[in-house]
């Protein structure tokens, strides 16, 4: 699995065939900087569809596998300089644990989509596997890949906002209004099935992104939370609207809001952080600007601008273009990959790395996300009573 | 207290002298349409200051009184065509009940600032007095006076948003960061004193505005709520940051958020309403635009434009200028007055009016606001447990 | 015509009856601060309509006149402490000169709407009359009354933008698409008639506002200009769309753009100024914010906030409310009046004042506006050749 | 030069080594969809630097050439299934013509950056070469690759805006304030040298983009134009600020504005189109939204949303992600490539294609851009007199 420097890493994709949405994003994001090339895939749960889908991804027929097991098996047997370096997992939630653990046990690094898995037991198993195998594991909470979210994180870590007293992260979408509750669903049908999706509906789908972003940016840890959630759509039984009030360490208040029932909202993730010196706001749909406010001062618009006087090191490192040449979703997603690649190259070169310092979301972040879902569900079941973290 | 049609109503102002902020706004808003003239006042708790302040308001010395009691007394004795028609109360919260009740009992209509009072007993007393005296009582939750908030209310009442499933109203300010906890305070010192302000801090100051706006726009009634609030400033012991989760009738979820500790935010009241057919958002600091969204449709920006194809009757009636000629805070405040004047003229002409149909906030809205504060405080004291409304 | 300090000035209104738009604005703006009261009027060209309209303005029948001549005559004969102090002129363009000159000659101050008049001869006559009579004359280029436009002016005067190299002022509306070219017009019919409106169409109606704002803010003077304009509407023969390129002193480039044919634009006046140290932009429809930019720095949003660290003296003086409590069209209009009142009180008290330093638009600004229209028309007639100023 | 379907096209890059900016963008944009792979390059004018730069692009040493001539020579001799299919030219303006013509004559398709060249003679030579060789030639006026600009074009072509009466395209930047006129410049020094850059400064650099976008979106053709431009920076002698007034066919008025001296503006290209039925505006720095306005109707925000009810076919085809997942600069740039690839595959498969119907900017657009610069320079030299197109 060795790789010459500058030579692209070899990638295998699990999921993404047919109507699969995020698999295609992984393929584009991972290869955006020409630091990786997609050479193998098990693109569907159906072996025939899996192989048929490969051509559209530019995967050669001999590396289009019928299942992830077959893929891991066959790739393991290839010579080190042909075999894939890492596996990207873009399959339904309930499959992440098995696939990621199998991949890491077979010696491959893993990039896995969120939520990491559907329950705390599986989450623990994934954490253990990462520790045992020493593989790189990255979770695609891609929104933390935006340069200005990294700028926010650095500014807060440097004390530019003072002590953090509150954070409000809101993720609202409206597509569930378009679902026909009667119609049999093609893409994403598993999302309505608690066995496959997990018990968390929109909470898992978007709430965990908002929670992760709040944690990533502020560096705060929850001590307790309460939650209320509803299922307004007749589309399925899972939650599609909810709030969680979070008591963070150092006394900060968090409010995480999620909805997939807000008409006309597309992918509206936003975050507001209040500190004792300044406050900031950012919105994913206009990701190249962040607003920083302080009492009596002009509101400052920080642009994603690596050449500005104010850009912080991690923000600069996360930019590919000068200011005013907007970057967006793919680039943020690609930043998660780019950071993971650094660690992969370290490991492949026999070097060590500090997992707790990764800029990309780690297995620990994945465990936190599953814990967040679990505690929210517990609180909702207990009439919104506070739950210890 | 009779008045020829077209002749301005005569107004007395209580409070607003010296550094008093909102009293000056009452004076301007009430007279904006030249439907009222300010002729009398008891402008301060200090009799000398009270009289001294009158000139700046254009009040003649013989009607500059030393106290509200003196004012009510003297004005009552004036002939009906000179005596004031109504009294506007812009004094600290704990004084509203006594002043308003005395004024109504003396035969004057009352316009009172919010929160109506500090506790439910007083609130009940005010409601009783309104009913007994038959006077017009208007509460200046001025934000409901904005034309587009009336448009929103009508659209929702007409079913244009479908069933309402959720409402999020947020009122954030940051001025408390500018308070020196050591310094003795000139203006607004009573706001830190639970005896004068009531037990609710920012909850009463801005939270009640947000709650009222949510109720006004959606027409929903709370069934239960829970709350968490904090006192982050060392400025006083009262809350300065909080959330309340509200269970409205028909199952809608409400989230009311208030803060006076969000750096650089000035007067940032916003509202979002999610319905089964469409959703809308509006923000007080840019009050001439409202955004209406529906899945798959272009987002629509509704302007405050009385000549547009889409303006609703109450919105049109609330405009003084064509679209693009922005209206703002004073005009919205003046709309509360304008509507109250209609009822005052009815009562003064011996006609009846339906208090429950007033567009201006009524004594019932005032009771609801005090109940909202009380239930939030109860929940916060009970570890955020749900409280029946 | 004397007036005790603090006692309101007495105002007469010419025009504004019936459907007249801006007359009502004058009435509200002049009285907003209770520094003036509207006591007399000649509200229409038709004597009967003129008198009938008075009640709606709260003008007593004995001071509702049939014509402006009658008004000037009768008011002149009233005792000094009853007689009006000033006359506000809100009539068609071609009448401004006669009315204003007659009023000033009768000893009244004059507030006149724009464009000051339709040709340079009349403009000169008005200038002469102002000089001869010593009366206060204010022209309601109301957009220069916005606090942030005064802030911009002060910042530029203080060198905060460095040398000004360019200014772009754009005023676009779309209402002309709603005119039926066949229908006989009620309100504003004179606007299509070159004899009454002058030869400038939208150029006079909105172009002069843009030109004035550019001059007011930058302090620059034109040396030459060229222009192209079109008449796209079949509504009348006058221009409804145009550009003028202006060569200002010190080599700055100006671009003035006007349109009343831009669908869906309401009253979209905006200005951008480029300096060697910084640049700024502002837009009338969101008047409480101004954007200041400098290379490599965060864009700064200056709020209309008299309590901020950055508000300039004239901006502070032009505010009635704290930041976040938006002010808008009426307040800006009222600021022109407020400044003119200061000079009126000076003159009425026998003091002198420096006309060239007035913050409100002066007769000289009015002459400049007429010159701007004239030069634009000349250039357009000469195939867009440059015209000396 | 044949290529199996689905097999990536092979790309050679000229320029982009070292500090070269846009070459890196070409590399990323061309390969974004994994439809092309970068396999060869002549990355600098300096042979050693050229070869040294190859590794960073993932180009193998044996295909890192010392000059474009060497590249064309060597690649021509490779077997058809190894040889590059196309050459991307990201070098200084004055080199485009020679390189592009040589490449096409050697049988390669050419993608060339803008302005196409520096004078009309060269432009004609490029047009002739395209016609003679039958190669695909694409000019990277990348801003026309944005999905919403294609939506705008289709809406206008379909008559949704009615007849077009006016278009305003503005491209303002401020980076020139950061240039030290004394310092010897590393990157982009040729831009100050009229021999290498051409006589047009910012006019060529950004003005041509604005002009192209206006033409692309409206489908209008110029009949005449006048221009004024200035050189405010002491950085060089070329223009850095200018306006061009354009008379389009059918009587529409165009205003093209360019600046590289507007402090704090980064890459602010915007366009406004006025039609007799509706008007639209769009801004490159927030490319996922377009505003469509019509009198009396709510302003409509069209999102880049391939799943919306209103997305047009070309807009849908230009999207890679659902609405709310913002796309930006790279994707727009990649759309120019994607469309050119379709024609390249046609030509390589022996099929014909209609050059005049390409969605990507063609050689004819390149000629028009050079003509635009030339006519603007002519007008500026003739005291802004109108120039026939
Ligand atoms: N990071 C993000 O922003 C983001 C966005 C969307 C989805 N997601 C996550 O990505 C995952 C996939 O979501 P989606 O919306 O693309 O779902 P989807 O249903 O559209 O696609 C899932 C894909 O996985 C394939 N698949 C299922 N089981 C498989 C198996 N055993 N082996 C191989 N392939 C298999 C399916 O055939 C399909 O192609 C989920 O965990 C979801 O939460 C993340
Ligand atoms: N509607 C709104 O948006 C809004 C905004 C601000 C304040 N308020 C409300 O208005 C009220 C006043 O607030 P403020 O900020 O202007 O307070 P303030 O302390 O600035 O002013 C209070 C004024 O009342 C006077 N006063 C006190 N006791 C009096 C008495 N017995 N008789 C006569 N005058 C007396 C004081 O001298 C002072 O002039 C409060 O209830 C507050 O909640 C409402
Ligand atoms: N400052 C601004 O923003 C602004 C806005 C609109 C109009 N204006 C200007 O205000 C003036 C009036 O415009 P409008 O739109 O209100 O026009 P309008 O046609 O709506 O109203 C004109 C009014 O003047 C009255 N009038 C006409 N001749 C008169 C006379 N001899 N004596 C008394 N009254 C007479 C008419 O009856 C009518 O009430 C124009 O000069 C216009 O350019 C300025
Ligand atoms: N489409 C856009 O938005 C956009 C943006 C920037 C630049 N451009 C255009 O791209 C071109 C390059 O601009 P830039 O800003 O990248 O310039 P640059 O000076 O930064 O880079 C030019 C590159 O070309 C190389 N080069 C010069 N002569 C060469 C030769 N004969 N052979 C091989 N390489 C050679 C240089 O070594 C350098 O790497 C210009 O025509 C410019 O107008 C377009």
């Amino acid at each position: 699995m060795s790789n010459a420097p500058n030579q692209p890493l070899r990638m295998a994709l699990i999921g993404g065939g047919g109507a699969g949405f995020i698999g295609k994003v992984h393929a584009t994001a991972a290869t955006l900087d020409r630091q990786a090339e997609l050479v193998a895939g098990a693109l569907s749960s159906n072996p025939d569809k899996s192989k048929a889908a490969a051509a559209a991804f530019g995967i050669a027929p001999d590396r289009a596998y019928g299942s992830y097991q077959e893929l891991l098996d066959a790739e393991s047997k290839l010579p080190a300089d042909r075999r894939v370096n890492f596996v990207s997992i873009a399959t339904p939630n309930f499959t992440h644990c098995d696939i990621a653990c199998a991949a890491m046990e077979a010696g491959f690094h893993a990039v896995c989509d969120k939520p990491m898995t559907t329950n705390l037991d599986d989450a623990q198993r994934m954490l253990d596997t990462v520790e045992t195998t020493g593989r790189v594991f990255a979770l695609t909470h891609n929104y933390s890949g935006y340069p200005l979210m990294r700028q926010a994180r650095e500014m807060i870590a440097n004390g530019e906002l003072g002590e953090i007293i509150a954070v409000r992260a809101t993720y609202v979408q409206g597509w569930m209004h378009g679902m026909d509750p009667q119609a049999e669903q093609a893409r994403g049908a598993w999302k309505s099935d608690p066995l496959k999706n997990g018990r968390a509906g929109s909470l898992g789908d978007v709430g965990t992104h908002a929670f992760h972003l709040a944690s990533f940016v502020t560096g705060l840890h929850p001590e307790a939370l309460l939650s209320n959630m509803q299922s307004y759509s007749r589309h399925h039984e899972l939650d599609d609207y909810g709030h969680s009030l979070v008591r963070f360490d150092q006394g900060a208040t968090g409010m995480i809001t999620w909805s997939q029932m807000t008409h006309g909202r597309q992918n509206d993730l936003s975050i507001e952080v209040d500190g004792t010196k300044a406050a900031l706001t950012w919105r994913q749909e206009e990701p190249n600007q962040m607003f920083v406010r302080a009492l009596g001062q002009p509101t400052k618009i920080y642009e994603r601008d690596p050449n500005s006087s104010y850009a912080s090191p991690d923000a600069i490192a996360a930019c590919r273009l000068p200011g005013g040449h907007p970057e967006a979703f793919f680039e943020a997603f690609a930043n998660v990959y780019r950071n993971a690649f650094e660690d992969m190259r370290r490991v492949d070169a026999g070097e060590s790395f500090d997992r707790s310092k990764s800029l990309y979301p780690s297995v620990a972040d994945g465990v936190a996300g599953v814990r967040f879902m679990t505690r929210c569900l517990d609180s909702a079941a207990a009439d919104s009573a506070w739950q210890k973290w």
Side-chain angles (χ1 to χ4, degrees), chain A:
Chain A
M1 232 160 302
S2 75
N3 243 61
N6 266 323
Q7 207 188 320
L9 296 167
R10 290 171 301 277
M11 168 186 188
L13 178 62
I14 320 286
F21 161 49
I22 206 73
K24 293 169 184 64
V25 171
H26 280 264
T28 298
T31 62
L32 185 74
D33 300 312
R34 298 182 311 284
Q35 285 203 34
E37 52 189 0
L38 176 56
V39 297
L43 303 165
S44 165
S45 54
N46 172 309
D48 291 340
K49 289 189 184 167
S50 186
K51 290 179 184 177
F57 284 85
I59 295 172
D62 59 329
R63 293 174 89 175
Y65 301 100
S67 71
Y68 77 86
Q69 294 93 337
E70 205 184 295
L71 180 147
L72 297 177
D73 224 52
E75 289 290 323
S76 302
K77 291 175 189 146
L78 290 179
D81 65 349
R82 283 209 63 213
R83 168 191 330 159
V84 297
N85 301 81
F86 69 96
V87 162
S88 291
I89 303 164
T91 55
N93 303 348
F94 76 103
T95 68
H96 295 174
C97 178
D98 282 352
I99 302 179
C101 290
M104 291 187 284
E105 276 154 10
F108 302 103
H109 304 298
V111 176
C112 179
D113 222 308
K114 44 49 60 184
M116 191 168 79
T117 182
T118 58
N119 60 77
L120 279 169
D121 286 348
D122 279 1
Q124 185 61 43
R125 193 181 129 212
M126 294 173 88
L127 174 58
D128 293 345
T129 306
V130 169
E131 289 183 346
T132 327
T133 62
R135 297 296 89 192
V136 172
F137 178 93
L139 191 71
T140 47
H141 277 306
N142 45 296
Y143 299 110
S144 62
Y146 275 108
L148 285 173
M149 288 295 88
R150 293 175 171 196
Q151 170 104 20
R153 176 190 171 95
E154 284 176 291
M155 288 171 67
I156 288 170
N158 294 340
E160 293 181 44
L161 266 64
E163 283 165 55
I164 300 312
I165 59 179
V167 52
R168 297 176 293 284
T170 300
Y171 199 150
V172 289
Q173 301 182 325
W175 57 265
M176 216 171 267
H177 285 290
M179 305 300 286
D180 177 349
Q182 254 65 54
E184 197 172 327
Q185 288 136 34
R187 191 203 140 219
W190 58 269
K191 290 198 180 178
S192 325
D193 178 349
L195 287 181
K196 297 187 171 170
N197 183 83
R199 288 182 301 142
S202 303
L203 165 59
D205 214 25
V206 295
T208 51
H209 269 313
F211 172 75
H212 178 260
L213 194 64
S215 306
F216 175 83
V217 163
T218 63
L220 295 172
H221 297 281
E223 291 180 346
L225 61 76
L226 67 77
S227 179
N228 176 268
M229 59 189 94
Q230 305 291 333
S231 181
Y232 288 118
S233 155
R234 276 152 312 166
H235 166 54
H236 64 37
E237 297 303 297
L238 301 172
D239 69 282
D240 49 32
Y241 188 93
H243 294 286
S244 174
L245 184 61
V246 184
R247 199 181 298 144
F248 281 106
D249 50 1
Q250 300 161 36
T253 300
M255 173 54 65
I256 310 294
T257 299
W258 61 93
S259 165
Q260 294 184 318
M261 287 292 284
T262 300
H263 249 294
R265 293 284 185 159
Q266 302 207 318
N267 199 35
D268 217 324
L269 170 62
S270 62
I271 185 164
E272 308 190 22
V273 184
D274 295 347
T276 52
K277 288 190 186 165
L280 62 80
T281 63
W282 178 85
R283 190 170 162 256
Q284 190 271 144
E285 295 194 5
E286 291 179 7
N288 293 286
Q289 296 198 325
M290 177 167 71
F291 294 78
V292 181
R293 294 181 176 88
L295 180 68
Q297 302 302 319
T299 294
K300 289 183 192 163
I301 309 179
Y302 281 55
E303 300 274 338
R304 184 203 56 72
D305 177 2
N307 303 316
S308 69
S309 61
Y310 51 82
S312 60
D314 288 342
I316 294 172
C319 290
R320 285 164 185 80
L321 289 168
H325 298 69
E327 298 187 7
F329 189 87
F330 278 128
E331 290 90 332
F333 215 109
N335 283 336
V336 172
Y337 268 101
R338 191 146 85 174
N339 296 125
F341 290 164
E342 291 166 10
D343 279 349
M344 291 183 195
R345 288 191 192 270
R346 283 194 190 99
V347 171
D348 293 356
E351 294 165 25
S352 70
F353 75 103
D354 184 346
R355 211 168 58 230
S356 73
K357 292 212 174 120
S358 74
L359 262 179
Y360 58 88
S362 69
V363 71
D365 294 308
V367 175
V370 177
R371 194 179 302 277
F372 175 69
M373 296 191 293
T374 307
R375 294 295 171 259
C376 284
L377 288 160
D378 293 349
S379 176
D383 208 15
S384 305
W386 285 101
Q387 306 293 314
K388 280 243 173 67
W389 179 250

